Amino acid sequence: MSPSGIASDGNRAPANVPPLVEARNLTKEYPREGGVVRVVDDVSFTILPGETLGLVGESGSGKSTAARMLLRLIEPTAGQVLFAGEPLPPASSPQMRILRRRMQIVFQDPYAALNPRMTVRNILSEPFAIHRESPPEGLPSRLDELLRSVGLDGTALERYPHEFSGGQRQRINIARALALRPQFLVLDEPVSALDVSVGAQVINLLRDLQRSLGLTYLFISHSMPLVRYLCDRVAVMQQGRLVEIGDSMQVCENPRHPYTQQLIAATPEMPLAPA
């Protein structure tokens, strides 16, 4: 164990590679009768450019709350988030609005994340309207490119979310997240609502997109086999605290913390296509 009590095998970025994202002592508390409940407790980690960091733990461990603080979707009670070496500005500031183009999220439920009254064309066009930005190649070309990048085609543009399968809806969510060419994506359990085989296809799509676009991921999951397959490093959270962090293969093969050992023992294998 490190002096902080975290089992660590790679918490710090190499000195010659500055992190794209850095969480410093993040804490989040919510009021409750008679006091407060601390959902995230003094959590620190880094994510390198082009890296995938897995953030794992059971439901209620605080991993999604930590991720939302990275995007300023939730304000931390204490601590700091740095993006490309600079502290994130306040959520309501014009500077944060500009930064949101560089960081996006893919949510867990592919249907709830899409407006059922909007066509795919409108869904994919919305980020450009919100940020008042026109793609250099023109909007029709960009929409076609986005669909092709996630394995769909132009026939999807005039259809509504209910006309697609769960896996196709998640591909549309991914395409929307990529619309403004972000550097950093938070993937909040993006396959937990999908069938195993469909989820495997989406995971392989995410790997391909990362390689082709140079993306940086924070991948939230409770599945250690998924983390081992997709992630470079893994951070394990239990009851709001970070209990272990390190190289994903080393953590999965030789977990140091008892909680990590329990997670690995409790998670069935997920079939994944070869890379």
Side-chain angles (χ1 to χ4, degrees):
M1 293 282 185
S2 67
S4 66
I6 301 171
S8 178
D9 194 10
N11 185 29
R12 296 301 176 192
N16 60 336
V17 182
L20 179 66
V21 180
E22 184 173 0
R24 293 182 178 176
N25 309 108
L26 285 182
T27 297
K28 183 62 182 179
E29 296 177 342
Y30 289 103
R32 68 176 180 184
E33 188 175 352
V36 298
V37 56
R38 183 166 289 187
V39 179
V40 176
D41 188 1
D42 195 28
V43 167
S44 298
F45 56 81
T46 60
I47 311 176
L48 302 182
E51 180 184 41
T52 300
L53 176 69
L55 191 59
V56 300
E58 62 192 333
S59 297
S61 62
K63 55 189 187 296
S64 291
T65 300
R68 281 162 170 76
M69 285 192 284
L70 293 185
L71 302 177
R72 269 292 190 269
L73 298 178
I74 296 175
E75 290 289 340
T77 304
Q80 188 178 44
V81 178
L82 280 72
F83 187 84
E86 297 292 331
L88 287 187
S92 59
S93 68
Q95 294 85 355
M96 191 63 223
R97 181 183 177 91
I98 294 171
L99 267 180
R100 291 201 187 281
R101 304 175 188 180
R102 301 170 64 186
M103 50 176 68
Q104 293 291 320
I105 184 169
V106 176
F107 292 101
Q108 178 178 356
D109 187 335
Y111 190 73
L114 299 174
N115 187 331
R117 295 180 177 85
M118 294 175 68
T119 63
V120 171
R121 180 186 300 278
N122 291 334
I123 289 168
L124 297 185
S125 300
E126 191 174 35
F128 300 102
I130 290 172
H131 289 274
R132 300 174 185 174
E133 180 176 315
S134 298
E137 65 271 44
L139 186 59
S141 295
R142 181 59 179 155
L143 298 188
D144 183 65
E145 179 186 11
L146 286 169
L147 287 173
R148 285 189 285 105
S149 73
V150 298
L152 299 174
D153 59 43
T155 62
L157 286 172
E158 306 309 327
R159 296 162 63 189
Y160 290 85
H162 73 270
E163 299 180 70
F164 296 92
S165 67
Q168 289 172 325
R169 287 195 288 265
Q170 195 61 298
R171 289 171 186 264
I172 294 167
N173 279 315
I174 294 168
R176 178 177 59 184
L178 295 175
L180 298 175
R181 296 184 170 92
Q183 295 169 268
F184 175 54
L185 288 187
V186 170
L187 307 169
D188 191 357
E189 301 205 45
V191 299
S192 63
L194 305 177
D195 292 341
V196 172
S197 60
V198 174
Q201 294 170 14
V202 171
I203 289 295
N204 283 309
L205 169 66
L206 291 168
R207 286 193 67 177
D208 292 343
L209 289 169
Q210 183 175 41
R211 291 167 176 168
S212 62
L213 301 176
L215 296 167
T216 301
Y217 290 156
L218 177 67
F219 180 73
I220 303 171
S221 182
H222 57 268
S223 169
M224 295 302 287
L226 267 182
V227 164
R228 178 174 178 172
Y229 179 78
L230 186 66
C231 301
D232 301 293
R233 291 185 301 131
V234 56
V236 183
M237 290 188 67
Q238 180 188 27
Q239 296 179 350
R241 296 188 63 86
L242 197 63
V243 297
E244 184 161 1
I245 187 166
D247 177 86
S248 60
M249 186 167 293
Q250 292 179 10
V251 170
C252 289
E253 292 185 353
N254 187 30
R256 300 181 181 184
H257 196 278
Y259 179 70
T260 311
Q261 296 168 8
Q262 294 171 17
L263 282 179
I264 293 171
T267 309
E269 290 291 332
M270 177 176 181
L272 292 160

